[in-house]
């Protein structure tokens, strides 16, 4: 499950982690956009739910310096030995440039360089030298973790997918359907044994299809109009079906862009329905080759209620449906 849950203060997440554990969830994964940072919710989980696997999906490679990202990852790996996987990725021009005052340039090269730096630094090595996108002078972790975390790389298209297969311990996918998974996995053939394939899966647990599709359309216009995601879906074969949305968005017609998204696209990319139907869809991702299917809950009237017993009931139904 993706944490933290919307509407529940971080200080109250001990009860969330207990409910997730009781419902049968095994991992909690964070994100980092403009809510909480990627590491604080996992640090709390490490203390409050010591059985959980933990993962970041993702920590951006531009918004922290190499040394700080290594230190932050090392601290969490020391807190939760053997239970933490570090997911890194390029993020987006908005997150990196508009919100964090950094230059979003050469995302492939920066991701590759940070991956190589972290691999060495988290192993306790002295890192001293020039990478293509940054230089590091004699950096060594004072507290290298006894069990270095696996490093997973977020990837959408062939170049980054192949980099993940060649140099990372796994790949993180996002915004794809179960039917799209084989296309992505074809680019990581030849990866080492144990290569992880994580995917964030957006789940709207309601049998009100009209409501779920309204929420889904808003999410799709927020994400798939970002150039990297638009290129990803062209590569997946959705150029023709999504072009009306992209054209309306480029023209400033936000309502038109929402209306241009067919139901079939929403239903492909957003899991919705009863808890049992949602669980079956998530299992379809696993059957397609996803080894770490990570649910991310979208708002529903029940989840927005602020009533924790109701929220816990939703988590229980999703975990045990």
């Amino acid at each position: 499950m993706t944490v933290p849950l919307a509407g529940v203060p971080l200080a109250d997440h001990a009860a969330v982690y207990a409910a997730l554990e009781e419902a049968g969830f095994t991992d909690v994964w964070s994100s980092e956009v403009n809510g909480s940072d990627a590491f604080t919710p996992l640090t709390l989980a490490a203390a409050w739910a010591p059985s959980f696997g933990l993962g970041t999906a993702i920590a951006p490679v531009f918004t922290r310096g190499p040394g700080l990202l290594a230190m932050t990852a090392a601290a969490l790996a020391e807190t939760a030995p053997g239970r933490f996987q570090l997911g890194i990725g390029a993020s987006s021009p908005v997150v990196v440039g508009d919100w964090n005052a950094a230059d979003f340039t050469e995302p492939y090269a920066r991701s590759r360089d940070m991956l190589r730096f972290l691999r060495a630094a988290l192993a306790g090595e002295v890192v001293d030298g020039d990478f293509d996108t940054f230089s590091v002078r004699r950096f060594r972790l004072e507290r290298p973790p006894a069990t270095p975390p696996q490093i997973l790389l977020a990837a959408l298209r062939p170049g980054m997918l192949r980099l993940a297969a060649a140099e990372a311990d796994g790949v993180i996918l996002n915004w794809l359907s179960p039917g799209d998974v084989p296309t992505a996995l074809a680019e990581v053939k030849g990866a080492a044994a144990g290569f992880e394939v994580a995917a964030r899966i957006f789940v709207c647990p309601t049998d009100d299809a009209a409501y779920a599709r309204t929420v889904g359309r808003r999410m799709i216009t927020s994400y798939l109009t970002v150039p990297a995601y638009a290129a990803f879906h062209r590569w997946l074969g959705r150029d023709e079906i999504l072009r009306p949305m992209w054209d309306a968005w480029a023209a400033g017609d936000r309502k038109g862009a929402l209306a241009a998204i067919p139901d079939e696209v929403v239903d492909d990319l957003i899991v919705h329905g009863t808890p049992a139907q949602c669980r079956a869809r998530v299992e379809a991702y696993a059957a397609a080759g996803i080894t770490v299917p990570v649910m991310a809950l979208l708002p529903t009237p029940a989840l927005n209620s602020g009533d924790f017993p109701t929220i816990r009931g939703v988590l229980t139904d999703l975990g045990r449906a």
Side-chain angles (χ1 to χ4, degrees):
M1 180 62 69
T2 300
V3 294
L5 295 189
V8 181
L10 277 172
D12 296 336
H13 264 64
V16 171
Y17 297 139
L20 288 170
E21 190 171 27
E22 183 179 346
F25 288 88
T26 60
D27 290 40
V28 290
W29 285 66
S30 62
S31 62
E32 189 168 283
V33 184
N34 61 344
S36 67
D37 71 283
F39 294 93
T40 300
L42 302 186
T43 303
L44 295 173
W48 291 339
S51 70
F52 278 148
L54 314 170
T56 58
I58 47 87
V61 298
F62 286 100
T63 55
R64 295 175 181 83
L68 178 58
L69 183 52
M71 287 187 289
T72 308
L76 186 49
E78 182 180 348
T79 303
R83 295 192 288 124
F84 170 51
Q85 294 173 299
L86 173 64
I88 61 171
S91 190
S92 73
V94 170
V95 172
V96 173
D98 294 352
W99 298 347
N100 286 284
D103 293 330
F104 188 82
T105 55
E106 300 185 77
Y108 174 89
R110 175 77 176 202
S111 299
R112 180 201 61 211
D113 291 350
M114 191 67 84
L115 173 61
R116 292 173 178 175
F117 166 81
L118 290 168
R119 177 77 74 198
L122 290 168
E125 298 175 13
V126 175
V127 184
D128 183 48
D130 298 324
F131 296 80
D132 286 348
T133 58
F134 56 81
S135 297
V136 175
R137 294 290 171 257
R138 298 204 57 79
F139 176 83
R140 184 174 184 175
L141 282 169
E142 182 179 312
R143 299 171 68 100
T147 305
Q150 288 187 316
I151 304 174
L152 282 65
L153 181 66
L156 296 177
R157 287 182 290 161
M160 202 76 86
L161 287 161
R162 292 169 189 163
L163 174 62
E167 300 194 30
D169 299 304
V171 68
I172 299 170
L173 307 174
N174 196 16
W175 277 108
L176 77 174
S177 72
D180 296 326
V181 173
T183 301
L185 293 189
E187 303 297 330
V188 299
K189 285 183 178 178
F195 186 80
E196 294 276 28
V197 182
R200 176 159 283 117
I201 302 164
F202 295 100
V203 177
C204 191
T206 175
D207 56 7
D208 184 341
Y211 174 91
R213 287 169 179 155
T214 297
V215 172
R217 283 187 169 87
R218 291 174 184 155
M219 291 283 292
I220 288 168
T221 56
S222 295
Y223 276 86
L224 301 195
T225 54
V226 173
Y229 281 105
F232 177 48
H233 279 270
R234 290 188 182 99
W235 178 63
L236 290 174
R238 292 195 177 90
D239 181 77
E240 183 175 349
I241 199 167
L242 287 177
R243 182 168 296 280
M245 178 197 74
W246 289 321
D247 288 346
W249 188 267
D253 182 3
R254 302 303 190 243
K255 289 184 179 178
L258 288 166
I261 304 169
D263 284 351
E264 65 190 89
V265 172
V266 182
D267 296 346
D268 262 356
L269 300 177
I270 303 292
V271 171
H272 61 90
T274 66
Q277 290 169 331
C278 289
R279 180 63 178 264
R281 282 290 309 282
V282 172
E283 288 175 344
Y285 282 89
I290 301 299
T291 63
V292 186
V294 184
M295 294 188 191
L297 294 182
L298 299 183
T300 68
L303 292 171
N304 287 346
S305 67
D307 178 60
F308 187 71
T310 299
I311 295 170
R312 179 167 52 195
V314 172
L315 298 178
T316 297
D317 287 344
L318 282 172
R320 292 182 169 170

